[in-house]
Amino acid sequence: MKVIQILPELNSGGVERGTLELGKYLVQQGHDSVIISNGGRMVEQLEKEGSRHITLPVHRKSPSSLLKVRALRKLLALEKPDILHLRSRLPAWIAWLAWRKMDAQARPRLLTTVHGFNSVNAYSQIMTRGEVIICVSESVKDYVTTNYSSVPEGKCVVIHRGVDPGQYVYGAQPDQNWLDQWHHDFAETKGKRLLTLPGRITRLKGHSDFLQILAKLPESYHGLIAGGAHAKKAEYLEQIKAEVASLGIEQKITFTGHRNDLMQILSISDIVFSLTQQPESFGRTTLEALCLGKPVIGYDHGGVGEILDELFPEGKISLGNLSGIQERITNWETQRPIPRRNNPFTLDSMLSKTVKLYESLSLKR
């Protein structure tokens, strides 16, 4: 098969990483992988792994982007892909407008992936226009079928995202050099029970809940906020730091800023948290921590609830139940439960299910 995936850019992010992972897998399976985007720093890796990149400015949220419809239609006619996979709203509009005017017998089969809970409107509805809609969790499938009544449930296929168990090894610990550097940089964490809230610093991540929990725990606990803040979130970061001061827990909390070694940070953590105030479509960081064998306490909604159901139901807690979280942490001091090892959310499962779906659609032509 020849598969074309289309997305805005290739700089960073979960969608982008998944696109590269799928491209690499397609090439390994003997298929032809093409990715269309405006480019970015991940293109070099993409091409090294055997995919071909075509640069097209499909990223600008502007009416002028619709001028790319004709160019894309010509490109699709030239490339003759078997599958066209749409991964983001703006490129999806351009691609769908190009695809619908092509000969129905010659055009590629059309898939979309709904990666998150986008606002419900006509603009977002484009992600339901695929002949098949891939949903990254049962929660996302429920969101699609609930909010877009014209979409039949049978059109949605759930393919959970996944991680590579060869990279996130159960029980793995960082090497001594990393530990020495960590304790040099963050000496205040040595000998403490580390509670980690990972993720970029945004209002929805539950930082205030995390700080209130930490404030009521003994000095033997230390909190890590492992993630950076975009320049646009600087004011919010200052609000969090002001709350730290008002709670008097300056000595019990560390802001790591953006890190490229989150896996190692998760592996030295005693408990990892997912306290998002709104449900996440999947919850990859939660899965990564559990794959390392680390207990996660998370609000029981969205994809995080699904992952905890499967691997660590002991970590589920109702939204905003701070006293329940504190009680659970205290109870685990003597006997902390451990996550299951039989993780069904693997990278190989995600990739093989996606390619099998491509193959089944291609055969139905």
Side-chain angles (χ1 to χ4, degrees):
M1 293 181 298
K2 178 186 281 190
V3 177
I4 290 182
Q5 301 180 75
I6 183 167
L7 70 166
E9 294 181 294
L10 284 166
N11 284 310
S12 65
V15 175
E16 291 79 359
R17 180 167 48 178
T19 300
L20 262 67
E21 290 168 341
L22 182 56
K24 180 180 178 180
Y25 184 82
L26 283 164
V27 172
Q28 290 173 341
Q29 299 299 309
H31 303 296
D32 190 1
S33 168
V34 181
I35 297 171
I36 298 174
S37 83
N38 189 53
R41 56 178 174 267
M42 298 172 82
V43 170
E44 183 179 358
Q45 177 188 345
L46 176 155
E47 293 179 335
K48 281 182 180 178
E49 292 172 348
S51 293
R52 186 157 50 93
H53 183 263
I54 298 174
T55 303
L56 197 67
V58 291
H59 64 300
R60 293 193 186 95
K61 292 183 178 179
S62 163
S64 64
S65 292
L66 296 178
L67 298 175
K68 304 297 182 294
V69 170
R70 182 175 296 179
L72 182 58
R73 188 181 299 123
K74 288 182 179 178
L75 179 61
L76 293 174
L78 180 67
E79 290 286 339
K80 296 182 172 60
D82 299 285
I83 301 291
L84 178 60
H85 191 164
L86 316 182
R87 289 182 165 274
S88 183
R89 288 175 292 176
L90 180 60
W93 272 107
I94 297 169
W96 180 74
L97 289 170
W99 174 86
R100 69 173 184 163
K101 291 291 182 71
M102 297 176 72
D103 179 356
Q105 298 304 311
R107 67 190 180 190
R109 303 305 300 267
L110 187 72
L111 290 92
T112 57
T113 292
V114 181
H115 290 278
F117 303 109
N118 293 319
S119 53
V120 179
N121 52 38
Y123 178 61
S124 298
Q125 192 172 12
I126 188 62
M127 300 311 295
T128 69
R129 295 286 179 90
E131 296 176 90
V132 173
I133 305 165
I134 297 175
C135 301
V136 299
S137 65
E138 293 289 347
S139 300
V140 168
K141 179 182 176 181
D142 290 344
Y143 153 83
V144 171
T145 56
T146 299
N147 291 294
Y148 298 101
S149 57
S150 61
V151 176
E153 188 173 343
K155 191 177 181 181
C156 297
V157 176
V158 176
I159 301 179
H160 290 94
R161 293 174 67 191
V163 301
D164 182 359
Q167 181 181 5
Y168 291 86
V169 179
Y170 197 96
Q173 288 292 304
D175 62 41
Q176 193 60 47
N177 288 337
W178 185 92
L179 277 171
D180 290 343
Q181 187 62 52
W182 172 267
H183 287 137
H184 176 270
D185 295 341
F186 304 108
E188 68 276 13
T189 66
K190 195 167 187 177
K192 302 287 187 178
R193 291 189 175 100
L194 297 182
L195 308 179
T196 299
L197 183 68
R200 287 175 293 182
I201 294 178
T202 67
R203 291 186 183 276
L204 297 178
K205 290 292 184 182
H207 294 94
S208 181
D209 287 3
F210 185 64
L211 297 179
Q212 290 178 58
I213 294 161
L214 189 63
K216 294 182 179 179
L217 293 171
E219 296 298 321
S220 56
Y221 289 94
H222 192 88
L224 297 178
I225 292 180
H230 190 279
K232 294 179 180 178
K233 305 295 181 182
E235 183 180 347
Y236 175 60
L237 177 58
E238 291 307 311
Q239 289 177 18
I240 297 172
K241 290 181 176 179
E243 186 170 1
V244 168
S246 69
L247 291 169
I249 56 172
E250 294 96 328
Q251 305 307 313
K252 291 175 65 176
I253 189 81
T254 293
F255 291 82
T256 70
H258 174 72
R259 303 282 299 195
N260 292 318
D261 52 359
L262 182 60
M263 181 171 67
Q264 287 83 354
I265 294 172
L266 295 175
S267 71
I268 64 168
S269 302
D270 289 87
I271 304 174
V272 179
F273 292 81
S274 175
L275 305 175
T276 53
Q277 304 300 290
Q278 294 180 6
E280 290 192 88
S281 58
F282 183 64
R284 184 175 178 130
T285 306
T286 292
L287 179 58
E288 290 171 348
L290 292 169
C291 286
L292 291 168
K294 295 298 174 177
V296 175
I297 292 178
Y299 288 145
D300 185 16
H301 56 190
V304 168
E306 291 178 42
I307 294 169
L308 290 171
D309 264 337
E310 192 71 35
L311 294 175
F312 193 62
E314 299 91 336
K316 295 194 302 178
I317 200 142
S318 57
L319 178 64
N321 184 7
L322 304 189
S323 60
I325 294 175
Q326 183 189 347
E327 181 182 358
R328 197 160 299 184
I329 295 168
T330 304
N331 290 342
W332 288 358
E333 284 184 9
T334 53
Q335 188 173 5
R336 186 183 308 144
I338 59 173
R340 318 292 182 266
R341 285 176 177 263
N342 56 332
N343 169 34
F345 308 113
T346 65
L347 178 61
D348 186 69
S349 174
M350 176 188 78
L351 297 175
S352 62
K353 286 178 180 178
T354 304
V355 173
K356 285 176 183 176
L357 181 59
Y358 289 167
E359 290 170 343
S360 67
L361 280 174
S362 186
L363 289 172
K364 288 178 182 177
R365 179 173 297 285

